[in-house]
Amino acid sequence: MKRVKDEKLLVAQLKDPDTQEQAFRNLMSLYKERLYWHIRKIVLSHDDADDVLQNTFIKVFKNIHSFKENSKLYSWMYRISTNEAITFINKKAAKQHVDISELQHKMVNNLQEDINYSGDEIQQLLQKAIFTLPQKQQLVFNMKYFDEMKYTEMSEILETSVGALKASYFHAVKKVEEFLKLH
Amino acid sequence: MKRKDLHTIAPKLSEISLKKTGFEIPKNYFKSIEDAVIAELKAENFLKKGTKEVFKTSENYFDFIEDIVIAKLKAEAIQNNKETTIPENYFQTIEDKVLAEIRTTPKVISLKSRFIKFAAPIAIAASLLLVFVLNKNSTTVTFDSLASSEIETWIDNGGMDIDALSIVSIYPDIELNNEIYSASLSDEEVLEYLNEEYLDEIIFEN
């Protein structure tokens, strides 16, 4: 209950020109890490994740007046960051004249040269396995497996029923396991 | 699916440490993200750049600005109205007004063109009179004493074919413009002149 009250107050402060800057700083401080890691797992490189995170916050600020408050602020922001990240890699693929799966294959192979990546062979293999999944399953897998998010929260963010999400996660785990066994 | 069930469904996957993804971030990255976003929003003018204004306005400027603008707009509207308004029924009456003006305005003929038009025939007429006077020494000859047929016969015989140079040689103190030098008068033009009703007056005055 307190969380709902706090969120309402924060939204009101964000809409008030006199308090919006400080309120926005508080909002970013509160959610920056969670949103960053969510984005990073989609785009992989730190520089791209940084771009997407900043764009996400800017979009949140610019659209705060259209935030309906019938969903949680955090869920709304998570949804924006997901869309921003997917749009980002789609544009990147289009720029390189390749499809998404080909781009993701290249992204995983480039991880070894990334100074901001220290994963071992098995972690890199897991990343490759995730990229074999359809995009929605990738999101579901990341949010459940790494972030341990509740299905109800995921349902609000991805606007998908809890049942469909459970099924999706189950299929994703099976596929990833299969990939790991084969490689 | 609970996490504890993972090792039964996906044993290989459950072996991978969850806490280690391999993704790193630059040192102090999360400390600077707010400033970067705020700076971007300020650059795009979505956030106030600061409360301290460096530009000043005159005292109570913002109390009167609406009145000043409204007054200016009204003044402009009056000015525009003046420039574009025409009297009522202007376009219905313009033709009549113009025609009336044309009827009442006296025809203005420039002195120069009138002089040029008549100088040559007058000179011719005067020359003819002089010739008759000299030829009939003792007899006084006037235009009245000449029969019209005699004048017409003289004209028909080419007596009127006098060019501008001849006129100038007879009357060196008369200035003629280039038009006269370059174009000789036709018979019709001279006859038309001779038929002018006030010709007698001109001759007698001279």
Side-chain angles (χ1 to χ4, degrees):
Chain A
M1 196 67 186
K2 191 180 180 296
R3 191 180 152 185
V4 175
K5 264 189 178 179
D6 288 348
E7 194 166 273
K8 280 200 169 187
L9 179 66
L10 188 60
V11 172
Q13 287 172 339
L14 284 167
K15 290 178 179 179
D16 182 347
D18 293 333
T19 54
Q20 60 185 174
E21 184 175 335
Q22 190 51 52
F24 192 54
R25 277 186 183 276
N26 295 342
L27 181 80
M28 286 192 286
S29 299
L30 205 57
Y31 296 120
K32 61 186 175 187
E33 290 196 38
R34 273 188 280 179
L35 290 178
Y36 172 85
W37 289 117
H38 173 64
I39 293 164
R40 179 81 186 260
K41 284 186 212 90
I42 300 169
V43 299
L44 300 197
S45 95
H46 166 72
D47 289 342
D48 290 348
D50 180 36
D51 278 353
V52 175
L53 181 65
Q54 289 194 32
N55 288 342
T56 299
F57 280 134
I58 288 167
K59 213 157 213 177
V60 166
F61 185 86
K62 287 180 181 175
N63 293 285
I64 194 68
H65 290 277
S66 59
F67 174 59
K68 298 283 188 290
E69 296 184 48
N70 48 15
S71 67
K72 285 177 195 160
L73 185 60
Y74 169 63
S75 304
W76 182 63
M77 289 169 64
Y78 222 106
R79 196 152 56 238
I80 291 174
S81 69
T82 306
N83 291 338
E84 283 293 305
I86 290 169
T87 305
F88 182 89
I89 55 166
N90 284 340
K91 279 184 183 172
K92 198 171 177 178
K95 264 187 193 172
Q96 295 180 21
H97 305 290
V98 292
D99 62 25
I100 296 293
S101 58
E102 200 177 333
L103 176 75
Q104 287 180 324
H105 183 73
K106 279 168 78 176
M107 283 157 66
V108 176
N109 288 336
N110 289 341
L111 277 176
Q112 285 299 88
E113 292 142 32
D114 191 336
I115 54 162
N116 291 310
Y117 185 75
S118 62
D120 56 22
E121 203 177 321
I122 189 73
Q123 282 159 345
Q124 204 174 345
L125 192 64
L126 175 59
Q127 204 57 61
K128 280 183 182 175
I130 295 166
F131 278 166
T132 62
L133 303 172
Q135 200 158 56
K136 188 82 179 269
Q137 275 186 21
Q138 287 179 33
L139 289 172
V140 173
F141 185 86
N142 284 336
M143 289 161 93
K144 192 67 194 168
Y145 181 80
F146 290 111
D147 301 342
E148 299 183 81
M149 199 179 275
K150 288 178 183 168
Y151 281 115
T152 49
E153 269 185 327
M154 288 167 64
S155 174
E156 198 174 331
I157 293 161
L158 298 174
E159 295 173 311
T160 309
S161 70
V162 169
L165 289 172
K166 283 181 177 175
S168 187
Y169 181 59
F170 180 79
H171 287 299
V173 167
K174 294 286 274 178
K175 282 182 200 169
V176 169
E177 179 68 13
E178 199 67 29
F179 186 91
L180 293 174
K181 276 182 185 169
L182 287 171
H183 295 85
Chain B
M1 190 201 312
K2 298 264 169 62
R3 178 158 291 278
K4 59 182 167 71
D5 301 327
L6 196 65
H7 71 278
T8 54
I9 300 163
K12 278 267 183 192
L13 181 63
S14 64
E15 285 171 18
I16 301 170
S17 170
L18 269 177
K19 299 297 167 193
K20 280 188 176 178
T21 59
F23 294 117
E24 307 284 344
I25 52 164
K27 207 178 169 185
N28 296 327
Y29 169 68
F30 285 121
K31 285 182 182 169
S32 60
I33 184 73
E34 293 94 335
D35 290 335
V37 174
I38 294 284
E40 181 68 29
L41 286 168
K42 283 184 177 176
E44 290 183 38
N45 288 324
F46 278 98
L47 260 176
K48 283 192 282 185
K49 282 182 179 163
T51 50
K52 202 176 179 183
E53 283 292 346
V54 289
F55 298 107
K56 306 260 181 223
T57 63
S58 55
E59 206 178 346
N60 300 331
Y61 171 75
F62 290 109
D63 295 338
F64 300 113
I65 184 65
E66 297 94 330
D67 296 336
I68 294 166
V69 172
I70 297 289
K72 276 198 171 186
L73 288 172
K74 281 182 179 173
E76 271 182 31
I78 291 164
Q79 188 62 30
N80 290 340
N81 206 31
K82 270 186 189 170
E83 284 167 4
T84 56
T85 303
I86 53 166
E88 208 175 346
N89 297 328
Y90 173 74
F91 288 115
Q92 283 80 17
T93 57
I94 183 68
E95 295 94 334
D96 296 337
K97 279 186 179 173
V98 171
L99 289 171
E101 188 72 16
I102 290 166
R103 280 189 211 108
T104 56
T105 306
K107 192 177 178 183
V108 178
I109 301 166
S110 75
L111 186 62
K112 192 177 179 185
S113 63
R114 191 182 175 98
F115 177 77
I116 290 163
K117 191 177 178 185
F118 294 115
I122 290 166
I124 294 159
S127 303
L128 286 173
L129 191 60
L130 188 65
V131 168
F132 281 118
V133 169
L134 291 173
N135 284 347
K136 296 180 181 181
N137 274 329
S138 57
T139 317
T140 305
V141 181
T142 63
F143 266 102
D144 291 337
S145 64
L146 288 171
S148 302
S149 59
E150 286 177 307
I151 296 168
E152 282 174 15
T153 306
W154 180 79
I155 291 166
D156 289 342
N157 289 338
M160 285 298 286
D161 288 339
I162 300 166
D163 60 21
L165 283 171
S166 307
I167 296 165
V168 171
S169 63
I170 296 166
Y171 297 98
D173 53 338
I174 296 173
E175 284 182 16
L176 300 175
N177 64 11
N178 290 335
E179 200 179 338
I180 294 290
Y181 283 108
S182 60
S184 61
L185 294 163
S186 68
D187 294 351
E188 286 76 16
E189 283 174 305
V190 177
L191 285 172
E192 189 188 347
Y193 169 72
L194 291 171
N195 287 330
E196 291 276 354
E197 56 183 329
Y198 48 85
L199 176 62
D200 289 347
E201 287 174 28
I202 298 165
I203 292 166
F204 291 131
E205 278 170 19
N206 287 326

